Amino acid sequence: MSTYRAPRGTRDLLPAERPVWRHVADVARGLSEAYGYREIETPLFELTEVFERGVGAVTDIVEKELFRIQPRTDDAETWALRPEGTAGIVRAYIQHGMQTWPQPVKLTLLGPMFRYDRPQAGRYREFWQWDVEAIGDAGPAVDAEIVELGLRFYREAGLEDVEVRLNSIGDPGCRPAYVAELTAFYRRHEDALPPLERQRLESNPLRLLDSKDPALVHLNDDAPRITDRLCEACSEHFAEVMAHLDALGVEHRVEPSLVRGLDYYTRTTFEYYLRGREGHQQALGGGGRYDGLVELLGGKPTPGIGFALGLDRVVLALKETGAEVPTETPPIAVVVGADPGATAERLRVATDLRAEGIRVRADLAVRRLGRQLEAAAKEGARFAIILGDELADGHVQLRDLDAATQKVLAIDDLPALLLRKSQDG
Ligand code: AMP
């Protein structure tokens, strides 16, 4: 029988990798708290319609990448695994009447997302995002606050050189005219368009702007720019976002082709990149304003803005840039014994030490002391607590595994000493 493997596009995050993940999540949680975002959990799956409406039926995410759940019976309802967090959070905002809470309602979620995408480096079928959403604030100040929050996250996580690219994609007032102009532009160059882009031109012409196809990269240089076509209100909003970023000393680069893949965005859109990296595929994270989304999902018209930062890519980038990241810490001590069979004794001493808040392992294998000591050294423990004849009058041997020195110690003195040594690092 062949052995089983994790499904394509998913992976096991093994113990050695967890400290860096935990570090990244801790930074996210700490900043969520500092900036006043409250935790929410939503189900890993929702009614498919929540995503079809909330993300947009003609986006890659819904068209190609949605993990649809096969119903067991002929249930009228169909579900899909969440491909992103915003639609579910906004669904929850409406369902729980959060419109009546003090606005804005600031929510955060950190968890796995699922997209049936072609797996490649930095692109998985199960991946993790940190989401923040500020619902009920039309900006522009909160837009700048969120953009800055993302940059702070990358810095605190250990990525020094992350830049933000910023755009405004207008609103339902000014965007349709721009989209019509853009469509006409591409129609004039239809012969140069690859088949996929020709299709997109019919369904979602904005998508052509961030196309990766080399044929378009060139053409897009001459495409009309949304930033030149914004209505007065959108233009003023955009200018104010930038003024607030300037006031915070946050550098940003205006990128008129940054339209994001999702239908629901209005006005501010932004993405984070390691400086010098190009192409949407490389984005570390992104976000934007979605002033129409609450209404689209059945709530009262309510503005909102948020971001989703991909944690897998942060972990990859930390590795690539050689940033210093936390590693697993071994226990400070291992309890070993001269009598291989005296496992109850070793277990009892270790249990008492753990009750004092000390991280120790008991060697519970029935094996010679030499082997127990070897295992402790290999694990990277600082000390071995050796149980022998002295235990009868309350003493143990404490062996410093680095220095290869050993002394007799009253067992009652162990907790204080080990606590002190643990804190010394
Ligand atoms: P998006 O909303 O598609 O821009 O996603 C926001 C961020 O999530 C991206 O910038 C990536 O860092 C991350 N992300 C999106 N899709 C994937 C994926 N399939 N695998 C890993 N990370 C992803």
Side-chain angles (χ1 to χ4, degrees):
M1 200 173 96
S2 63
T3 51
Y4 295 114
R5 303 181 67 86
R8 202 164 115 78
T10 71
R11 61 233 196 276
D12 303 306
L13 304 173
L14 299 179
E17 245 187 298
R18 291 305 295 161
V20 58
W21 278 86
R22 183 155 18 147
H23 155 70
V24 165
D26 283 349
V27 172
R29 294 211 174 88
L31 288 174
S32 293
E33 223 170 290
Y35 281 65
Y37 287 86
R38 301 165 69 196
E39 271 188 46
I40 184 168
E41 286 287 345
T42 65
L44 297 190
F45 62 96
E46 297 270 352
L47 278 180
T48 311
E49 245 179 87
V50 170
F51 304 123
E52 282 169 348
R53 291 184 72 87
V55 178
V58 293
T59 55
D60 278 358
I61 292 183
V62 169
E63 255 174 3
K64 296 198 238 147
E65 298 168 7
L66 211 53
F67 255 98
R68 294 168 193 274
I69 296 174
Q70 176 91 49
R72 290 176 68 89
T73 59
D74 39 41
D75 260 308
E77 300 192 327
T78 63
W79 304 278
L81 296 182
R82 64 183 186 197
E84 52 94 61
T86 310
I89 291 175
V90 168
R91 192 264 312 134
Y93 175 89
I94 300 164
Q95 178 178 340
H96 301 284
M98 295 188 205
Q99 277 113 335
T100 63
W101 299 7
Q103 305 290 301
V105 176
K106 294 165 78 178
L107 300 169
T108 182
L109 179 153
L110 190 154
M113 305 293 159
F114 305 87
R115 294 186 195 175
Y116 192 79
D117 205 351
R118 199 166 58 81
Q120 49 193 290
R123 188 155 287 272
Y124 309 103
R125 289 182 172 171
E126 182 191 31
F127 60 98
W128 276 259
Q129 284 185 338
W130 172 42
D131 255 289
V132 307
E133 311 289 349
I135 310 176
D137 185 333
V142 70
D143 304 39
E145 185 183 49
I146 283 192
V147 167
E148 188 274 337
L149 169 57
L151 283 173
R152 181 177 300 265
F153 164 75
Y154 292 117
R155 213 166 44 238
E156 291 194 9
L159 293 174
E160 293 301 332
D161 215 11
V162 172
E163 65 172 2
V164 63
R165 301 183 194 159
L166 188 69
N167 193 22
S168 170
I169 58 164
D171 68 6
C174 54
R175 196 164 45 206
Y178 169 71
V179 171
E181 190 185 344
L182 190 66
T183 308
F185 167 81
Y186 286 123
R187 286 251 158 79
R188 284 201 298 281
H189 297 91
E190 207 158 340
D191 292 348
L193 297 182
L196 173 70
E197 307 298 342
R198 224 174 281 180
Q199 269 173 28
R200 282 182 170 163
L201 181 54
E202 302 309 318
S203 56
N204 191 352
L206 281 176
R207 298 291 316 282
L208 274 67
L209 278 180
D210 64 11
S211 168
K212 292 149 279 180
D213 198 295
L216 266 105
V217 174
H218 208 59
L219 189 58
N220 280 342
D221 283 343
D222 298 325
R225 296 170 164 233
I226 179 73
T227 30
D228 303 330
R229 307 290 192 282
L230 297 175
C231 61
E232 210 176 307
C234 286
S235 179
E236 199 174 304
H237 188 276
F238 191 36
E240 278 297 309
V241 173
M242 290 191 281
H244 279 79
L245 287 173
D246 290 342
L248 293 174
V250 171
E251 263 183 65
H252 54 272
R253 169 170 144 193
V254 175
E255 181 63 69
S257 69
L258 201 166
V259 291
R260 309 263 306 145
L262 314 183
D263 266 5
Y264 56 61
Y265 283 115
T266 52
R267 295 190 166 171
T268 313
T269 57
F270 54 95
E271 277 181 342
Y272 300 98
Y273 289 83
L274 282 179
R275 200 177 298 277
R277 299 282 173 96
E278 297 298 329
H280 178 68
Q281 298 291 311
Q282 302 264 8
L284 289 173
R289 178 161 281 289
Y290 45 81
D291 292 347
L293 183 59
V294 178
E295 194 178 5
L296 197 67
L297 289 179
K300 285 193 306 196
T302 310
I305 182 166
F307 67 46
L309 310 188
L311 301 187
D312 307 71
R313 290 194 192 164
V314 174
V315 169
L316 279 174
L318 285 169
K319 269 190 210 148
E320 270 174 41
T321 58
E324 212 168 290
V325 293
T327 52
E328 280 183 288
T329 40
I332 183 84
V334 179
V335 183
V336 299
D339 174 0
T343 49
E345 215 163 57
R346 301 202 281 278
L347 184 55
R348 180 176 54 75
V349 170
T351 304
D352 290 348
L353 286 169
R354 289 170 190 149
E356 302 281 343
I358 298 158
R359 277 188 58 209
V360 288
R361 179 173 70 82
D363 197 312
L364 299 179
V366 179
R367 53 180 171 181
R368 284 188 293 110
L369 176 59
R371 302 290 299 280
Q372 297 179 44
L373 285 169
E374 266 169 38
K378 202 162 164 194
E379 193 177 359
R382 184 76 201 282
F383 298 101
I385 298 159
I386 308 172
L387 310 186
D389 296 340
E390 313 86 350
L391 195 61
D393 71 345
H395 286 77
V396 297
Q397 303 251 9
L398 184 70
R399 184 172 178 81
D400 183 323
L401 291 167
D402 293 337
T405 55
Q406 199 162 312
K407 63 180 174 187
V408 177
L409 203 76
I411 200 162
D412 293 342
D413 294 338
L414 264 182
L417 182 127
L418 291 176
L419 273 178
R420 205 170 56 239
K421 296 287 183 187
S422 309
Q423 279 148 16
D424 288 353

